[in-house]
Amino acid sequence: MPSPSIVLISEEHTDQMLAGFARYQAEYDVRVARSCQEALQTTHDIVAEGGTVALFASESVLPDAEVLQCFHKLREKVPTARRLVAAHWDRFLTDGPALRAGMAKGKYDAYLLMPRGVRDEEFHNAITDLLSDWGSTVPDPEVVSVKIISPTRDALTLGIRDFLDRMGMASTVYPPDSDGGRHVLERWEGEPAYPLVYPLNRPVVHATSVRDVAIALYGAPTALDLDHVVDVAVVGGGPAGLAAAVYSASEGLSTVILEAEAVGGQAGTSSMIRNYLGFPRGISGMRLALRARNQALRFGTRFFTGQVVDAVRPGRDGEPHVVCTDTGEVRARSVVIASGVAYRKLRVEPLEELVGIGVYYGAAMTAAREMEGQDVYVVGGGNSAGQAAVHLARFARSVTILVRRPDLAETMSQYLIGEIEYNSRISVRTCTTVVDGGGDGRLEWLGLEDVRTGERERVPAYGLFLLLGAEPRCEWLPPEVARDDRGFVLTGRDVPKERWIDGLPPESLATTVPGIFAAGDIRAGSMKRVASASGEGASVVPLVHAWLAPAPDATTV
């Protein structure tokens, strides 16, 4: 397969553009076009040769078209490519105001100053970020950490690959009769059973579940080896839990995280978060989660993945709380509940039977690659649904967002609404719900209903992505921890007055059990945003400190 291409579009400053991208020529096919029309022809030639374009980089002014119009035409040809404007220093300040507004609508990904010399690492940091983001979403990554051998793309195979993607481990599925498949089968003794998973430098395993793959990568879950009391036990490894771990461990508190699935929670499945502070070009949920995990590890946090917490026994009379899993217990002086939420079920029985084979709960970034050239539907009006639709539009022929409300304005951020309106592959169908669906072995059609008139319509569909809102699912919490009528954990002044102590409410993120706190989406009244969850995870640490501080000596003056 040809090397992925980088197409530079420049008439006046071709030499400077080539010099700026010189270091990429060893691994990318760097080509130059002097106009939009020439860039379109170059792209056509690359695709005809069996290649693809990873990145389009254009000057801010072109001789035959506005740069954003050119990008629009190029996206029609290669929707997965990243797009950036590298403005010459003579035009950077004057062209910026008019062009930057286009980034908010997803017309392109970055506005940069063309390098003025060698080793402009700020420029190259942006370029490598964009290329890395592109590489993590292509169907067949260049660098593969895990090989999956399967004759079919069934729900289990897709689930394994989705788990690996969320853990930042690139994988590819190989048919048994391919070169990659034969390479792995040579390392398997006996009759093959699929899917086979070959992690780098580890034995080949027959996976019957995603948990089998997690064990192959990280070791079998054994009894937790904590024979001492820790300061903080964090239940959940999403943004709130990771932030709590980073700040508590950095301040010297012994901290453990217990995570049932992949680190990052629902946020880890987001293809691109553009409104998170400090990442002007956006960041994928997976990358954000893995960076936070590494940060927490640096300060000494211990992670126990694949650990489903099934109970918490509150401590009494100064005894530690006990967090229980099926493989052991953690005794902790304080507990932070940051287990997040799960997407609500659609509860349309024919479609529930197709989960994993055309029907997916959540963004399912891995499944997006399987949607190339297909018609897909996204149900939900929140930011997660908008991010999923934008990502799916890189691959699918059409993406239709279905919402029960008359518009998206009440539930979705304006920057995403603008991006959706601009994208010709995405349409929004309001006042509509899914009532039926089916197919022979996988999803093939959906039944849609207009909630105003009751009129029903049958439409062809290859993929259905359900992002329906939040359910807490924290039945494992003890009755001493108060919850609202939907099951979300009550904290602070939301706690009923009859459960206040000495007439005072708990602290803002404290529950009805002293020493047990809640942060993020699991908490009643939270904003259900990545940034707010991270903020709550950080804000809970001073409360933990105050709880752990020794009581003042009454005899001390």
Side-chain angles (χ1 to χ4, degrees):
M1 179 179 293
S3 297
S5 297
I6 295 174
V7 177
L8 311 178
I9 313 171
S10 172
E11 181 188 37
E12 293 185 42
H13 304 99
T14 305
D15 291 343
Q16 289 96 322
M17 287 283 275
L18 276 171
F21 283 86
R23 68 170 66 177
Y24 304 98
Q25 291 181 357
E27 298 183 359
Y28 292 86
D29 176 18
V30 179
R31 302 196 189 188
V32 176
R34 298 181 181 276
S35 66
C36 179
Q37 189 59 41
E38 190 175 336
L40 288 166
Q41 184 59 51
T42 299
T43 303
H44 175 81
D45 295 342
I46 291 169
V47 174
E49 294 163 6
T52 189
V53 179
L55 179 71
F56 292 108
S58 175
E59 279 201 69
S60 56
V61 175
L62 298 176
D64 59 342
E66 292 184 0
V67 64
L68 299 187
Q69 292 178 342
C70 184
F71 279 161
H72 183 70
K73 295 176 181 178
L74 291 168
R75 179 157 70 173
E76 293 297 314
K77 289 185 173 293
V78 187
T80 55
R82 303 313 187 249
R83 304 170 304 280
L84 73 93
V85 175
H88 189 265
W89 44 91
D90 290 339
R91 305 194 63 97
F92 182 77
L93 294 178
T94 56
D95 293 348
L99 288 173
R100 283 198 177 94
M103 279 194 289
K105 294 187 176 181
K107 295 182 178 181
Y108 68 109
D109 300 293
Y111 184 76
L112 304 176
L113 178 66
M114 194 181 296
R116 301 184 66 176
V118 297
R119 293 182 294 280
D120 184 347
E121 300 306 336
E122 187 65 24
F123 173 85
H124 293 296
N125 180 61
I127 300 301
T128 53
D129 268 356
L130 291 170
L131 291 173
S132 178
D133 179 55
W134 171 82
S136 68
T137 58
V138 295
D140 296 307
E142 294 284 335
V143 179
V144 176
S145 299
V146 182
K147 293 182 173 67
I148 304 169
I149 313 305
S150 177
T152 61
R153 300 294 182 98
D154 57 11
L156 176 56
T157 301
L158 189 68
I160 291 169
R161 198 170 185 194
D162 189 60
F163 170 78
L164 294 170
D165 281 348
R166 292 174 63 188
M167 295 304 295
M169 305 186 73
S171 65
T172 295
V173 180
Y174 299 89
D177 58 353
S178 66
D179 290 342
R182 287 188 287 270
H183 174 76
V184 174
L185 287 172
E186 289 173 359
R187 288 156 175 77
W188 176 259
E189 295 182 2
E191 191 70 21
Y194 301 106
L196 292 176
V197 179
Y198 180 34
L200 188 64
N201 298 325
R202 291 178 175 87
V204 180
V205 297
H206 169 224
T208 60
S209 66
V210 174
R211 186 180 176 90
D212 290 342
V213 178
I215 291 171
L217 291 170
Y218 302 109
T222 57
L224 297 175
D225 60 350
L226 297 175
D227 57 0
H228 59 283
V229 178
V230 300
D231 292 325
V232 188
V234 181
V235 181
L242 289 166
V246 167
Y247 283 92
S248 60
S250 68
E251 295 182 13
L253 300 177
S254 57
T255 306
V256 301
I257 281 187
L258 300 110
E259 168 55 48
E261 299 178 1
V263 171
Q266 282 188 11
T269 68
S270 295
S271 59
M272 183 59 62
I273 304 169
R274 295 194 183 276
N275 61 347
Y276 193 83
L277 185 66
F279 294 92
R281 291 179 292 276
I283 185 170
S284 72
M286 178 270 290
R287 280 184 168 75
L288 184 64
L290 292 183
R291 289 183 185 188
R293 178 179 183 271
N294 290 337
Q295 199 172 9
L297 285 168
R298 176 177 181 174
F299 292 121
T301 299
R302 297 185 65 184
F303 281 80
F304 294 92
T305 55
Q307 296 286 344
V308 178
V309 174
D310 49 35
V312 172
R313 298 199 302 270
R316 292 179 174 83
D317 300 325
E319 290 296 311
H321 305 295
V322 181
V323 181
C324 307
T325 76
D326 61 354
T327 63
E329 299 178 344
V330 175
R331 293 181 297 151
R333 299 168 66 198
S334 66
V335 176
V336 176
I337 303 166
S339 49
V341 294
Y343 288 113
R344 287 203 310 268
K345 295 295 184 181
L346 182 65
R347 295 185 173 87
V348 175
E349 195 57 39
L351 293 175
E352 295 296 338
E353 296 175 1
L354 296 175
V355 170
I357 43 178
V359 178
Y360 309 96
Y361 281 98
M365 283 182 60
T366 304
R369 306 173 199 172
E370 310 290 327
M371 301 294 127
E372 189 167 0
Q374 303 293 338
D375 299 314
V376 304
Y377 289 78
V378 175
V379 180
N383 278 7
S384 295
Q387 290 161 355
V390 170
H391 181 64
L392 283 162
R394 298 184 187 276
F395 305 93
R397 176 173 57 194
S398 72
V399 180
T400 304
I401 300 176
L402 304 174
V403 290
R404 295 180 63 92
R405 296 174 182 267
D407 57 48
L408 296 173
E410 290 185 38
T411 54
M412 189 177 292
S413 295
Q414 185 58 44
Y415 84 93
L416 271 172
I417 294 175
E419 193 165 353
I420 287 165
E421 289 174 345
Y422 174 74
N423 195 315
S424 60
R425 294 191 177 200
I426 304 176
S427 60
V428 180
R429 185 163 171 171
T430 60
C431 301
T432 304
T433 186
V434 178
V435 295
D436 200 2
D440 185 12
R442 65 156 294 117
L443 180 68
E444 295 176 349
W445 62 273
L446 293 173
L448 307 181
E449 181 178 280
D450 188 311
V451 298
R452 298 161 298 188
T453 65
E455 182 180 353
R456 293 193 173 189
E457 178 187 3
R458 178 165 164 157
V459 297
Y462 192 79
L464 175 66
F465 295 80
L466 302 165
L467 300 99
L468 297 170
E471 288 184 341
R473 298 187 189 175
C474 52
E475 298 81 5
W476 50 273
L477 286 172
E480 291 93 331
V481 176
R483 285 165 277 172
D484 67 10
D485 55 3
R486 297 174 60 197
F488 290 93
V489 177
L490 293 169
T491 59
R493 289 187 173 274
D494 290 334
V495 169
K497 285 190 176 182
E498 62 269 18
R499 301 192 67 170
W500 291 10
I501 298 176
D502 297 330
L504 296 175
E507 295 288 348
S508 59
L509 300 175
T511 71
T512 46
V513 176
I516 297 183
F517 306 86
D521 291 359
I522 194 67
R523 191 181 66 81
S526 65
M527 286 182 62
K528 309 299 185 284
R529 291 285 193 270
V530 175
S532 61
S534 300
E536 289 190 9
S539 298
V540 80
V541 175
L543 305 181
V544 170
H545 264 301
W547 166 252
L548 296 180
D553 190 340
T555 63
T556 302
V557 178

